[in-house]
Amino acid sequence: MSQHFGHDVLIIGSGAAGLTLALTLPGNLRIAVLSKGQLDNGSTPHAQGGVAAVLDDTDTVESHVEDTLIAGAGLCRADAVRFTVEQSRAAIEWLIAQGVPFTREDTGDDEGGFAYHLTREGGHSHRRIIHAADATGAAIFNTLLDKARQRPNIELLDERVAVDLITEHKLGRPGRRCLGAYVLNRATGEVDTFAARFVVLACGGAAKVYLYTSNPDGNTGDGIAMAWRAGCRVGNLEFNQFHPTCLYHPQAKNFLITEALRGEGALLKLPSGERFMPRFDARAELAPRDVVARAIDHEMKRLGIDCVYLDISHKPAAFIKEHFPTVYERCLDFGIDITRQPIPVVPAAHYTCGGVLVDQHGLTDVPDLYAIGESSFTGLHGANRMASNSLLECFVYARSAAQDMLAKLDDTELPQALPSWDASQVTDSDEDVIIAHNWDELRRFMWDYVGIVRTTKRLLRAQHRVRLLLAEIDEFYSNYKVTRDLIELRNLALVADLMIRSALERKESRGLHYTLDYPNLLPEAVDTILTP
């Protein structure tokens, strides 16, 4: 039998944004944090590089803001950038107070002092990336998860897949408020009803829409799709960031080679050993990710090669092992000693820069519904996310959302009498092969037609294919019991359609959106906003 639950705050997603929000809210609120797999299945534990913040006396808020605006190719919202950067130190201090073990270095003074080690990544003019070796995301996630487990008011629920949001409009009631969500309990196979005063989408991005990605399997655009169906606008979904350097090896699934290697002097080379980045950008290996990814893509296609190489072997072995232990050990597992050999790398889909439109508190168009982290579109990233700004965004907007909820708490009641999920008209599927086939087809044509370099013809071809898939998926969804695979496919196909629509609307090449039919910039930078 399905169950009904009631909480003050329902957080869909258990990564950096969701856990930060849960821990920032006071202990007298009943909070549910849902993960559709195990709690550590999201993107946060995989983040290697670090968190960008103004922490050094030689750095300034103005410099961080300027670097972000430049990387965003004219599309960043200046108020969002300034708000995020101005809150960066407070966010890091909060993480340190939680016990996150950021890497320190000996300052060399007579007092025997230690300071936090800061590194530099592409697009940054200063060393401002605070990190925990090369496993920052895991260090942050494990710390926050341990803290959450110690809080009796926070209920951590795994293997729970959000199916759809419940709104007043969907129930035929007056108003548009979000009242909760229907959630599949994978252990029972039942769809439970969660009511909440506030609902938060912290579900991550949609990079799994592409055949090759650095993301875990769960990044299927669930938050974006659910918000769109609930009546929220979305923005700038044509800007999908491809990380330039993912390990190229048949047994290496989704392993990212952190950008911090290039920040510490690693060089990109062709199989001949020749460097190529200086031919594409004066910043060479430290150019923004879109520039580096396109350069690699160009060289691979020009030469017909499967990969290029990232070489840091000219640095001392002890330095490499100390600063990049995770990359060193992982590559060694595949027979690659990065202290002596270059690393074979290829670009892969990495980050969704667009998402659900939100304000400075993470609030969406739908009352009492918030979106934070990669699911959201704050305006911080513009047409291209600058390295290590994404984790910062999670912490800043989660903390801001908590403040907004507390201000509204007395005027927001727990919804009552929500109807149960109706599964009376559906049966068990005996054709799951259709889901698997559609899943593969979607990711392959998105890679081929909506990838690093685009054309209008390719985009129209992708749009035709995705519309056919959406019709098939809708029929399947209407007749069979929901499963995680079906829910994810439904969401991913919808977000793919929104990405293609957004890409077709942009008649220029800007940041991460590069089209051969419109290679130049338009004089005015305008966001692509889609309305349901």
Side-chain angles (χ1 to χ4, degrees):
M1 289 289 293
S2 64
Q3 295 180 278
H4 283 247
F5 300 92
H7 295 84
D8 294 305
V9 183
L10 172 64
I11 302 172
I12 303 173
S14 60
L19 291 175
T20 297
L21 174 60
L23 290 168
T24 304
L25 290 167
N28 64 327
L29 296 183
R30 294 164 301 150
I31 301 168
V33 178
L34 308 184
S35 175
K36 65 179 178 178
Q38 296 299 305
L39 291 168
D40 62 353
N41 280 174
S43 291
T44 300
H46 297 272
Q48 296 176 11
V51 189
V54 180
L55 303 169
D56 189 85
D57 291 341
T58 64
D59 196 7
T60 65
V61 167
E62 295 303 326
S63 176
H64 191 169
V65 167
E66 183 181 2
D67 290 345
T68 302
L69 292 174
I70 291 170
L75 262 190
C76 297
R77 296 188 172 182
D79 57 342
V81 175
R82 182 163 296 279
F83 171 72
T84 306
V85 173
E86 286 178 344
Q87 300 297 317
S88 65
R89 180 182 284 270
I92 297 301
E93 289 172 347
W94 180 81
L95 289 170
I96 291 171
Q98 304 308 305
V100 177
F102 291 116
T103 297
R104 294 173 178 265
E105 64 178 348
D106 190 341
T107 59
D109 61 30
D110 295 335
E111 305 295 323
F114 286 82
Y116 290 105
H117 180 264
L118 303 177
T119 189
R120 182 182 172 195
E121 295 181 354
H124 292 274
S125 59
H126 288 78
R127 284 182 171 267
R128 64 167 67 100
I129 315 301
I130 190 168
H131 62 102
D134 62 347
T136 308
I140 291 172
F141 174 79
N142 291 331
T143 301
L144 297 185
L145 183 61
D146 286 345
K147 287 284 184 181
R149 283 175 167 152
Q150 296 167 26
R151 291 268 297 268
N153 69 309
I154 298 176
E155 196 173 359
L156 299 167
L157 301 170
D158 60 10
E159 304 296 344
R160 301 303 207 284
V161 186
V163 182
D164 245 333
L165 298 171
I166 305 170
T167 64
E168 290 174 325
H169 177 72
K170 283 188 178 180
L171 296 181
R173 301 176 184 178
R176 299 177 59 247
R177 180 188 172 199
C178 186
L179 307 173
Y182 291 117
V183 178
L184 171 66
N185 182 336
R186 297 185 70 202
T188 65
E190 298 289 343
V191 176
D192 297 326
T193 306
F194 281 75
R197 295 159 88 174
F198 303 106
V199 179
V200 185
L201 299 169
C203 316
K208 200 67 182 178
V209 77
Y210 289 104
L211 186 61
Y212 301 112
T213 174
S214 65
N215 284 205
D217 289 343
N219 278 29
T220 51
D222 303 326
I224 299 168
M226 286 189 288
W228 175 264
R229 290 193 293 263
C232 295
R233 292 171 298 161
V234 298
N236 286 3
L237 283 172
E238 69 270 37
F239 298 115
N240 300 286
Q241 188 174 66
F242 289 79
H243 197 287
T245 54
C246 284
L247 179 61
Y248 178 73
H249 190 280
Q251 273 81 51
K253 184 180 181 183
N254 305 342
F255 186 68
L256 178 70
I257 304 298
T258 173
E259 188 160 15
L261 263 82
R262 286 184 283 126
E264 295 294 344
L267 303 174
L268 282 163
K269 297 180 178 180
L270 299 174
S272 63
E274 174 196 351
R275 285 181 69 193
F276 58 90
M277 277 311 303
R279 288 193 273 112
F280 291 89
D281 195 282
R283 292 163 290 186
E285 280 78 8
L286 288 176
R289 287 176 175 174
D290 61 319
V291 175
V292 180
R294 275 202 301 275
I296 295 173
D297 184 68
H298 178 272
E299 291 300 292
M300 287 172 59
K301 288 175 178 172
R302 180 176 73 88
L303 297 172
I305 54 179
D306 293 326
C307 65
V308 297
Y309 294 87
L310 185 65
D311 191 359
I312 198 170
S313 63
H314 52 279
K315 291 283 187 177
F319 172 88
I320 295 170
K321 293 176 184 178
E322 177 187 356
H323 286 269
F324 306 108
T326 305
V327 175
Y328 173 75
E329 292 293 341
R330 185 66 168 152
C331 287
L332 210 55
D333 289 342
F334 298 112
I336 303 164
D337 181 353
I338 69 171
T339 67
R340 304 175 59 172
Q341 300 167 269
I343 308 166
V345 294
V346 291
H350 183 58
Y351 190 84
T352 308
C353 286
V356 185
L357 256 69
V358 297
D359 66 10
Q360 203 169 84
H361 299 293
L363 187 64
T364 71
D365 294 331
V366 173
D368 300 333
L369 175 66
Y370 296 76
I372 53 177
E374 197 176 351
S375 297
S376 70
F377 168 57
T378 64
L380 171 64
H381 306 303
N384 185 16
R385 176 182 72 99
M386 190 166 69
S388 293
N389 269 352
S390 50
L391 279 174
L392 175 63
E393 182 184 44
C394 290
F395 308 127
V396 168
Y397 279 84
R399 286 156 54 85
S400 184
Q403 293 175 356
D404 195 57
M405 290 176 196
L406 291 178
K408 298 174 178 174
L409 202 57
D410 292 340
D411 299 320
T412 309
E413 295 181 352
L414 179 68
Q416 301 296 321
L418 297 186
S420 299
W421 177 259
D422 183 7
S424 61
Q425 304 299 313
V426 297
T427 61
D428 287 316
S429 166
D430 58 357
E431 294 183 318
D432 283 356
V433 65
I434 295 173
I435 297 176
H437 178 83
N438 287 355
W439 183 279
D440 291 341
E441 182 182 352
L442 174 68
R443 296 179 65 215
R444 186 166 293 280
F445 72 64
M446 285 296 290
W447 180 263
D448 289 340
Y449 302 149
V450 199
I452 296 173
V453 177
R454 301 163 177 175
T455 67
T456 301
K457 185 177 181 180
R458 291 177 197 165
L459 291 172
L460 289 171
R461 185 172 294 171
Q463 186 175 59
H464 175 68
R465 301 299 289 273
V466 81
R467 298 275 165 94
L468 292 174
L469 281 185
L470 282 167
E472 278 188 27
I473 294 164
D474 187 56
E475 181 184 2
F476 203 91
Y477 180 80
S478 301
N479 290 292
Y480 297 107
K481 289 183 178 179
V482 293
T483 63
R484 172 172 172 169
D485 285 346
L486 176 57
I487 293 166
E488 289 183 330
L489 176 64
R490 179 181 184 233
N491 290 335
L492 206 59
L494 173 55
V495 175
D497 185 46
L498 296 173
M499 287 178 176
I500 296 163
R501 284 175 58 184
S502 300
L504 283 167
E505 285 201 13
R506 185 163 295 281
K507 309 297 187 189
E508 64 170 348
S509 289
R510 184 182 296 273
L512 300 167
H513 175 72
Y514 186 80
T515 169
L516 297 176
D517 293 312
Y518 302 97
N520 300 316
L521 279 175
L522 289 175
E524 184 181 3
V526 180
D527 291 324
T528 305
I529 308 298
L530 302 182
T531 302

